[in-house]
Amino acid sequence: MKTTIMDMPLSIQMIFEHGRRLHANARVASFDGQAFQISRFADVAARAQALAAGLMAMGVSRGDRVGTYCWNRQEHLEAYLAVPCMGSVLHTLNIRLLPEQVARIMVHAGDTVLIVDRALIAQLAPVLNQVPTLEHVVIVGGVPDNLPALQAAVVGYDDLLASSSDRRDWPQHEERDAAVVCYTTGTTGDPKGIVYSHRSVFLHTLGTLGRDTFGIGQDDRILLLPSMFHANAWGLPYSAWFSGADLLLPREHLKAADLRRMVDLERPTITALVPTLMNDLLREDESEPLDLSCFRVIVSGGSAVSPGLIRRVRDRWGVSMLQGWGMTETSPMCCLSIPPREAAGDEQFEWRAKSGRPVPGMQVRLVDDEGSPVPEDGLHVGELQLRGPWVTGSYHGDASPESFTRDGWLRTGDVGTIDERGYVQITDRSKDVIKSGGEWVSSVDLENQLSEHPAVDEVAVIGIPDPRWEERPLALVVPRPGNTIDPAELQDFLDGRVARFWIPEYWSVTFALPKTSVNKIDKRALRAEFGEGRIHFSVCKPTKSV
Amino acid sequence: MKTTIMDMPLSIQMIFEHGRRLHANARVASFDGQAFQISRFADVAARAQALAAGLMAMGVSRGDRVGTYCWNRQEHLEAYLAVPCMGSVLHTLNIRLLPEQVARIMVHAGDTVLIVDRALIAQLAPVLNQVPTLEHVVIVGGVPDNLPALQAAVVGYDDLLASSSDRRDWPQHEERDAAVVCYTTGTTGDPKGIVYSHRSVFLHTLGTLGRDTFGIGQDDRILLLPSMFHANAWGLPYSAWFSGADLLLPREHLKAADLRRMVDLERPTITALVPTLMNDLLREDESEPLDLSCFRVIVSGGSAVSPGLIRRVRDRWGVSMLQGWGMTETSPMCCLSIPPREAAGDEQFEWRAKSGRPVPGMQVRLVDDEGSPVPEDGLHVGELQLRGPWVTGSYHGDASPESFTRDGWLRTGDVGTIDERGYVQITDRSKDVIKSGGEWVSSVDLENQLSEHPAVDEVAVIGIPDPRWEERPLALVVPRPGNTIDPAELQDFLDGRVARFWIPEYWSVTFALPKTSVNKIDKRALRAEFGEGRIHFSVCKPTKSV
């Protein structure tokens, strides 16, 4: 017996046509620092069609890579729609990497076109001639006068849109055709390319509309703080387009004062951010009250969020926070910390601080070093491995067999537990793991606990060599303004909250911690600095011994 | 450039494992007429695995068809899960068809196993020997003593589950493998088989979790009034399992008193029903107050629902109704009448009474008799055609080229409009269309308007031959208890609500209207009765002429 269901390729074209036709009045709002410039989906769709026509007239064809090097702005969204729909591959470049890194990644991906913000071209222009495949540079905002000589032809974005009036139907394609390529930020190694397919983007987008996932609907106004060059900005641009939610784009205006103004103007209902930014907003609120009560949910990701932070946000604004564990490799939605329905009252804060449970479609398992299953009891620690229809199974132009298991699961490099209900708790990046006297010490747990202390603004814990225990945790702490850090007091604070032997005796008080291009604390840099002897620390033995 | 995303077949197995692992504490509650018998998902999953093991031990293998002839009960859900996961094909049989029809459908599908309720075996047993492929009959509730001799082997359901302790991993399969076969009810012709694939069921289920679709989540308690033998009960059993929503199964207890008790006991949050039943509940409420305020939404489908009914439900209980237009051919979720976000206040009732707009993934278009596009302006009428990844493209063992267009769209046989925002309004089944003097008269609109009159309980409008106009509408009206019908008064009532020439001059007052097996008014039967001269009607010329 054969299925009678029609064979219809899943496609970003379906997302595009749905938003264009059914949500013509939904809005894309780009922030200019003072006000939002507002376009209707109908207008954005027409411009995306014009962009596709212009690119096709330029000779861009199926499978060609079109790079973007832009802030979160309307033209970037137009490229998100036009490039995959015309059968080419959107390549979102990370504007926070060094220009040389960007050029290397462009060479690796073989980009033939680059769409770039006028304000960003100056920093990238000097390296563009290193990209031999590059034929066209399209500048959003128009070509500046002082542009250095480029081998590629240069055109203004709006001129390109105006250049071709030839609107064609989207070409047919296979659902496994490449749609978007995104390189990891390389926190733990060289950037690696993940090539999303039309199928995987469609499935991920459908998944993000689920009521128990991001739950994006037509009543939402999404403040798009995640960068569109990083894992498709959590997939939210496509979620907005498929559901008819308003999309609020901050462009380069990401200071606390900008956020305040955007929130006041448009009262967004959902955003996603790193915990550091949530801390910044709480601090901003202390100096001048900030009204975030418009949010139905704030999703936090990139690094662990503490129950204390979640509680403060709830107490202050009545807003729920949700932790998301995901990565470029997972499109990125993977696990979300929606509490189980039986969680009552304050219990929710503990659940919301977990790494979360897999969303429908995702599968997670826990294995030991030999690849055997580890009990999923919330206690036993193992490596977390993932599988799902929007998870990468390889890297572009890189066999990387060590990143994948023989039976086809992604090795995340994250270490943690899975409990009876299927909730994941990351205890460490496998590269960040601290092994003290043969036992694991969780740097994430230590960081979470320390960040609950009122004097602590930011904290990072790394492992350092120790003559007796092989490795011991070193806590690097940034005090909150007007506070001083007393290691002995913090040790007392930790007592009873973590295992005794976890309590660090090595402490470093500092004014700032290094960050990666996506605003995560850069532990690789910390370890490197430590290795070069550039971190000063004190030794403070806990009063109660292990 | 090739996608790097892993190739993972979409599958009901993913739905099964997700619910089993992550929602072990969610509940399946079967109503025995007095109370709910409650099982946890974990228990149901173990029983589904036992069912699969028993069926495999019996020799059932990949691709074999396993029929079910059951009420909505836990064992039926177990079959929904076990049969596709083991690689066989679930065939849900309509218990309201004549036994001979059921046997013919079983022969057509080639069923080798039948799972049947003990209370239903008596009516079906006499025809089962007409199904030469049938090897096993599994009786839920145990084998009755007085069972007539069958060629097939007979076993009790629980005995089968106890018979095999051999639990195996689910076999691997392709995502386009057949999973479930369901025959249309044949309102307009012979039953036709639609064979859902693992892929189509997965996609449809993911779609039903969307916040702007059914929005099923773990906080839901689904009262499953739609029959599990009809279009997978709107897909809701799989939605519940994938999201961890409680599933409340009424079994054979579908009287108003049963509904009252089930609602009182478990306070469901969502159900789906035909408008007739909603009317019954409003009437029931008049005789003894009924508290339906627990519902967040009631989805109505099968036939058109009037703005008046939607308003009455909102006024009485504060509950939103949503119209769903779909069919067995569309899995069935297709269009839902969620109002556009800009709809204010009472406007919503008009929007909610529409047939709805396509959910993400579905596409609808409007064409004329020649297959050319009809303007989507809410005014021009054409045939509605559908496309989507969970829409059938053929019928099992039946070429049916007339049901599909050359470019691969399903011809729905429904006639209507699409407006600027993409909302569909069905005006008629193409077979029900009335053409009067060359102009279309919408039987659905007439029925909607007449059902708003306080004296009218039910109404059907069919076309009958007319010497002058070729065809004219005949209105068949069932009065509400204690009311009489005065055609002249109803004509006045229609005046200003519909075009003058639509107002019927032919009227028939009757005590009941014939229904199909899924409780739709059976217009085919009405037309047949009319053809045989068995419908008495009066002629009442409207006082104001056209």
Side-chain angles (χ1 to χ4, degrees), chain A residues 4 21 211 215 220 392-393 420, chain B residues 4 21 211 215 220 392-393 420:
Chain A
T4 61
R21 181 67 188 85
R211 190 153 69 94
D220 272 319
T392 203
E420 293 80 357
Chain B
T4 62
R21 181 69 189 83
R211 189 152 69 92
D220 272 320
T392 203
E420 292 80 357

Side-chain angles (χ1 to χ4, degrees), chain B residues 103 106 114 116 121 124-132 134 137 150-151:
Chain B
M106 291 179 74
L114 176 71
V116 53
I121 183 68
L124 198 61
V127 301
L128 285 180
N129 288 344
Q130 298 170 19
V131 185
L134 190 66
V137 174
L150 295 177
Q151 284 158 18

Side-chain angles (χ1 to χ4, degrees), chain B residues 76-404:
Chain B
H76 208 167
L77 176 65
E78 289 160 9
Y80 261 59
L81 298 168
V83 176
C85 283
M86 64 185 270
S88 305
V89 183
L90 179 78
H91 178 196
T92 53
L93 291 157
N94 185 337
I95 65 175
R96 297 194 193 280
L97 294 179
L98 293 173
E100 284 72 21
Q101 285 181 295
V102 176
R104 265 206 307 279
I105 291 173
M106 291 179 74
V107 170
H108 194 264
D111 295 348
T112 59
V113 180
L114 176 71
I115 299 174
V116 53
D117 274 8
R118 184 185 164 108
L120 296 170
I121 183 68
Q123 68 191 56
L124 198 61
V127 301
L128 285 180
N129 288 344
Q130 298 170 19
V131 185
T133 49
L134 190 66
E135 295 172 15
H136 298 276
V137 174
V138 182
I139 303 183
V140 177
V143 183
D145 290 338
N146 56 350
L147 191 69
L150 295 177
Q151 284 158 18
V154 177
V155 63
Y157 185 92
D158 285 330
D159 294 338
L160 178 67
L161 265 60
S163 67
S164 177
S165 57
D166 177 29
R167 303 283 174 278
R168 277 177 286 180
D169 286 343
W170 300 123
Q172 291 208 324
H173 57 223
E174 303 291 320
E175 68 183 30
R176 285 180 173 79
D177 283 353
V180 180
V181 56
C182 189
Y183 281 71
T184 58
T185 49
T187 318
T188 55
D190 277 337
K192 290 173 184 158
I194 289 114
V195 185
Y196 306 123
S197 64
H198 280 267
R199 170 185 164 100
S200 75
V201 172
F202 180 92
L203 289 167
H204 182 269
T205 306
L206 196 61
T208 62
L209 309 186
R211 189 152 69 92
D212 284 345
T213 66
F214 296 153
I216 305 297
Q218 65 172 356
D219 292 333
D220 272 320
R221 293 177 298 282
I222 304 171
L223 178 59
L224 197 72
L225 297 180
S227 302
M228 290 173 76
F229 55 74
H230 183 50
N232 282 355
W234 297 48
L236 292 169
Y238 292 122
S239 314
W241 196 265
F242 213 10
S243 65
D246 286 344
L247 198 56
L248 314 177
L249 302 171
R251 285 182 27 198
E252 69 273 32
H253 310 289
L254 292 167
K255 293 200 205 75
D258 297 316
L259 295 185
R260 177 187 295 277
R261 185 149 177 84
M262 287 189 284
V263 168
D264 286 348
L265 283 170
E266 282 285 344
R267 310 303 291 154
T269 58
I270 180 170
T271 193
L273 42 66
V274 288
T276 316
L277 180 54
M278 196 72 246
N279 271 317
D280 290 349
L281 292 172
L282 278 163
R283 207 157 33 228
E284 174 77 7
D285 175 58
E286 281 172 23
S287 59
E288 189 189 336
L290 182 62
D291 180 9
L292 301 186
S293 61
C294 48
F295 286 99
R296 64 173 176 82
V297 66
I298 294 176
V299 191
S300 172
S303 53
V305 58
S306 68
L309 180 61
I310 295 169
R311 183 190 290 269
R312 280 162 68 201
V313 171
R314 168 59 68 97
D315 289 349
R316 173 64 184 93
W317 295 294
V319 172
S320 294
M321 285 190 75
L322 202 58
Q323 177 147 224
W325 174 53
M327 51 210 86
T328 307
E329 285 84 346
T330 63
S331 296
M333 188 176 70
C334 168
C335 285
L336 288 175
S337 68
I338 294 184
R341 57 183 191 167
E342 61 267 30
D346 279 6
E347 242 190 286
Q348 63 161 302
F349 300 114
E350 297 299 326
W351 287 104
R352 288 180 183 277
K354 287 185 190 289
S355 311
R357 67 182 178 196
V359 298
M362 287 295 311
Q363 294 174 9
V364 181
R365 72 179 183 189
L366 199 63
V367 300
D368 63 19
D369 292 346
E370 280 76 46
S372 302
V374 167
E376 300 188 354
D377 56 6
L379 300 170
H380 284 79
V381 173
E383 188 194 14
L384 291 153
Q385 301 186 341
L386 296 173
R387 196 166 64 160
W390 51 79
V391 177
T392 203
S394 63
Y395 292 108
H396 176 61
D398 172 3
S400 308
E402 77 281 2
S403 300
F404 305 93

Side-chain angles (χ1 to χ4, degrees), chain B residues 490-512:
Chain B
L490 291 180
Q491 285 169 336
D492 284 351
F493 182 76
L494 288 175
D495 193 21
R497 292 172 172 244
V498 299
R500 277 270 168 80
F501 80 94
W502 286 18
I503 299 178
E505 60 271 32
Y506 299 115
W507 294 85
S508 176
V509 179
T510 174
F511 292 109

Side-chain angles (χ1 to χ4, degrees), chain A residues 403-418:
Chain A
S403 299
F404 304 93
T405 68
R406 267 191 211 176
D407 59 343
W409 293 64
L410 169 71
R411 302 184 59 189
T412 63
D414 283 324
V415 165
T417 59
I418 301 180

Side-chain angles (χ1 to χ4, degrees), chain B residues 462 464 474 476 508-510 512 514 524-537:
Chain B
I462 60 171
I464 63 171
L474 162 66
L476 299 110
S508 176
V509 179
T510 174
R524 197 161 61 137
L526 283 176
R527 280 191 290 265
E529 283 186 41
F530 183 86
E532 292 163 16
R534 288 196 273 115
I535 292 184
H536 299 277
F537 60 92

